[in-house]
Amino acid sequence: MSRLGNLGARLYRGEVGYDFIGKRKIWYGLSILITITAILGLAVQGLNMGIEFKGGAVFNTPKTSASVSQAQNAAEEASGHPAIVQKLGNGGLRIQVSELDTQQADKVKTELSESLKVDSEKINAELVGPSWGEQIANKAWTGLGIFMILVVIYLAIAFEWRMAVAALIALIHDITITVGVYALVGFEVTPGTVIGLLTILGYSLYDTVVVFDSLKEGSKDITKQTRWTYSDVANRSINSTLVRSINTTVVALLPVAGLLFIGGGVLGAGMLNDISLSLFVGLAAGAYSSIFIATPLVADLKEREPQMKALKKRVLAKRAAAAAKGESADDSGQPQDGVPDDAATDDAATAGAVVGPRGRGRGRPSGRRR
């Protein structure tokens, strides 16, 4: 078995673990800082909207020896507006100029023909109206709203309303960060960007639902035992699915990174930049939020319940009594040597039902040993 696979097995059995829930205030603070930075970037710089949203013209030239900078200067001088120029695979150029009408587009086409030394008849000019992009944006917002409502309803039915609320907050967190990154790096927002944003919503929910499913299974009949709090079980759920989340995220990020850094950066394919950046940032943010935002939020909301407060009080009282007697168990009920404590058998039957996995380490909570 590989080293990573061995670590995953040990995390699943509860032999090792990291206290994600115990350090949730650190994750909350980090997420708030990142979100505020994204919002500030959006407010100060704004989004670089493509011509599909602002309106304008796109000029596709035949193969030419002119450089991208030469074409950009020529287009900006002819139109009086900023231009975006991309090199095409056939040696031609794609020139975008916003806020042009038909008459202005004809003038720009003629001057580009002279500046780039290409036949005017071979330059393909397309006018794009802002209403088309506005329709796409409105439909995207409508689709996003419907998606959010359906997600909340489904999670509330399949799990519980606290998990639905936590997942919704995590989704808003991921979208805000992705949009903020677009504002900070200045990438153009096109219909491809909108498609990418809608796509990451499903990926963002994937890891979250996996952890929630483990948490739902692990917290059955939790109030019938006195060894673990709800936060302990939530922490175990994160650790038991951690390697799986990392593997699926890395596998998904690798091809997207290829599109972003090779396809967009080296080949200069504009549409690849638009969709791949939103996918790359959204996938990374989704994996982060499922571990550091969604599940800790569920634990916080759940432990506000009276029965969970009473359970936590009983668990802490039992641990204090065990510590006073000098028993060799840490504050989570786990023996310090990592081997199940044979003396602590009073909750053994219930413990097996709470944690889930069978075999060595059955019923053992995760968390860093002290």
Side-chain angles (χ1 to χ4, degrees):
M1 183 182 294
S2 65
R3 185 172 300 178
L4 184 60
N6 182 57
L7 175 61
R10 296 184 67 195
L11 284 168
Y12 182 78
R13 292 193 299 265
E15 296 174 6
V16 295
Y18 186 80
D19 191 8
F20 292 99
I21 304 298
K23 294 179 172 57
R24 59 188 178 274
K25 291 184 179 179
I26 298 176
W27 318 133
Y28 292 164
L30 180 61
S31 296
I32 291 173
L33 179 62
I34 296 174
T35 303
I36 290 176
T37 303
I39 294 175
L40 287 177
L42 185 61
V44 174
Q45 293 190 207
L47 293 173
N48 179 21
M49 306 301 290
I51 63 170
E52 293 87 356
F53 298 97
K54 295 187 297 185
V58 179
F59 303 92
N60 293 308
T61 73
K63 184 176 181 180
T64 176
S65 59
S67 65
V68 170
S69 59
Q70 289 175 337
Q72 183 176 1
N73 293 334
E76 291 178 350
E77 289 178 4
S79 64
H81 297 286
I84 299 175
V85 182
Q86 298 166 339
K87 195 77 171 179
L88 300 178
N90 61 357
L93 297 172
R94 184 175 188 266
I95 305 169
Q96 300 181 59
V97 184
S98 60
E99 302 176 8
L100 292 182
D101 56 27
T102 304
Q103 185 176 358
Q104 291 173 320
D106 291 338
K107 177 186 175 183
V108 172
K109 179 179 178 180
T110 301
E111 295 193 18
L112 283 175
S113 173
E114 297 175 357
S115 300
L116 304 180
K117 296 180 175 57
V118 295
D119 187 356
S120 175
E121 297 298 326
K122 293 183 179 180
I123 297 179
N124 181 27
E126 297 178 2
L127 286 176
V128 180
S131 60
W132 185 70
E134 185 178 352
Q135 291 176 4
I136 292 178
N138 290 336
K139 290 181 179 179
W141 282 113
T142 303
L144 178 62
I146 295 174
F147 177 83
M148 293 289 193
I149 294 173
L150 292 177
V151 164
V152 170
I153 293 175
Y154 171 76
L155 291 179
I157 295 174
F159 298 99
E160 60 173 296
W161 70 265
R162 295 166 189 82
M163 292 184 177
V165 170
L168 180 61
I169 293 174
L171 281 177
I172 296 174
H173 165 273
D174 299 340
I175 294 175
T176 303
I177 290 178
T178 305
V179 174
V181 169
Y182 261 86
L184 291 172
V185 302
F187 271 33
E188 189 179 26
V189 177
T190 67
T193 306
V194 177
I195 294 171
L197 286 174
L198 295 177
T199 303
I200 66 172
L201 298 179
Y203 281 105
S204 177
L205 279 175
Y206 176 76
D207 286 335
T208 301
V209 170
V210 168
V211 180
F212 283 178
D213 186 63
S214 176
L215 178 56
K216 178 183 177 182
E217 183 68 22
S219 59
K220 288 180 180 178
D221 300 325
I222 189 174
T223 57
K224 297 179 181 179
Q225 51 82 51
T226 55
R227 296 189 67 183
W228 307 299
T229 64
Y230 190 89
S231 290
D232 293 333
V233 179
N235 200 60
R236 170 62 186 268
S237 298
I238 296 176
N239 279 279
S240 64
T241 59
L242 182 61
V243 173
R244 177 181 178 179
S245 297
I246 293 174
N247 286 337
T248 54
T249 301
V250 170
V251 169
L253 282 176
L254 286 177
V256 175
L259 289 175
L260 178 61
F261 298 110
I262 299 177
V266 178
L267 302 180
M271 182 61 75
L272 292 180
N273 280 339
D274 306 336
I275 192 171
S276 59
L277 179 64
S278 60
L279 289 175
F280 187 85
V281 177
L283 286 172
Y288 170 86
S289 65
S290 66
I291 297 172
F292 299 103
I293 302 297
T295 309
L297 277 175
V298 172
D300 277 338
L301 293 173
K302 194 71 175 178
E303 291 203 335
R304 295 174 183 268
E305 295 181 354
Q307 57 181 354
M308 293 302 168
K309 288 182 179 179
L311 172 63
K312 185 175 182 179
K313 186 176 180 180
R314 295 196 304 270
V315 171
L316 294 180
K318 182 175 180 179
R319 291 176 183 173
K325 294 179 182 179
E327 295 180 1
S328 59
D330 63 12
D331 60 357
S332 64
Q334 180 179 353
Q336 294 179 358
D337 58 1
V339 180
D341 187 359
D342 294 333
T345 58
D346 54 334
D347 296 310
T350 307
V354 172
V355 178
R358 299 180 180 272
R360 186 172 182 266
R362 177 183 179 184
R364 199 177 309 152
S366 60
R368 176 177 292 178
R369 299 175 186 169
R370 297 183 179 178

